[in-house]
Amino acid sequence: MRRRKRLKDLDHLRRDIDRMGRLVARQLETAVDAFDRFDPALADSVIEKDDLIDNLNLRVESRSFEMAAHNDLSDGDYRAARSALKVATNLEHAGDAATHICKHIRIMQRE
């Protein structure tokens, strides 16, 4: 029974990271496109979606910590939860990079 719950939790982590990865990829692509076009409206659309990535990161973080807090994880499950946390953190940083690019587009527009 516990193993089934752990597998379900790991599946949720994988799905959240997959969603996060697809969202970050779109954000980066849109940020580069906004820069190429010098399009502040497109840049704003990236900035507005940054919270989605942040929220997914917090959800992965919370699930990972919750799983790790249970001492009944196998070594493999523990590594998977820890890896999920690291991947989510790196994706969140990449999403922040897209947002920073777009904030600089807005600064450049004002000058």
Side-chain angles (χ1 to χ4, degrees):
M1 188 70 149
R2 287 181 183 173
R3 178 72 182 150
R4 192 177 317 168
K5 176 162 176 19
R6 285 194 309 257
L7 290 174
K8 186 177 177 182
D9 289 342
L10 287 170
D11 186 54
H12 284 297
L13 284 174
R14 281 189 209 95
R15 279 192 261 154
D16 284 344
I17 289 173
D18 181 57
R19 182 173 177 219
M20 198 174 173
R22 284 184 276 115
L23 181 58
V24 168
R26 281 194 304 269
Q27 291 284 87
L28 287 166
E29 185 178 323
T30 304
V32 170
D33 194 27
F35 185 81
D36 286 344
R37 295 181 192 187
F38 198 64
D39 185 339
L42 197 54
D44 286 342
S45 75
V46 170
I47 294 166
E48 291 168 4
K49 292 178 185 164
D50 184 58
D51 285 344
L52 294 173
I53 296 168
D54 294 342
N55 291 337
L56 280 168
N57 183 51
L58 290 173
R59 190 158 74 186
V60 168
E61 184 179 279
S62 176
R63 277 198 176 128
S64 296
F65 287 149
E66 184 179 308
M67 287 180 69
H70 294 63
N71 292 329
D72 60 348
L73 285 181
S74 69
D75 288 344
D77 290 345
Y78 178 76
R79 282 191 302 272
R82 206 172 93 207
S83 293
L85 178 60
K86 288 181 178 185
V87 169
T89 299
N90 284 315
L91 286 171
E92 196 274 332
H93 290 178
D96 285 345
T99 299
H100 288 64
I101 290 167
C102 291
K103 286 180 178 180
H104 286 288
I105 292 168
R106 289 163 70 187
I107 292 168
M108 291 166 55
Q109 180 197 21
R110 287 186 288 232
E111 293 179 4

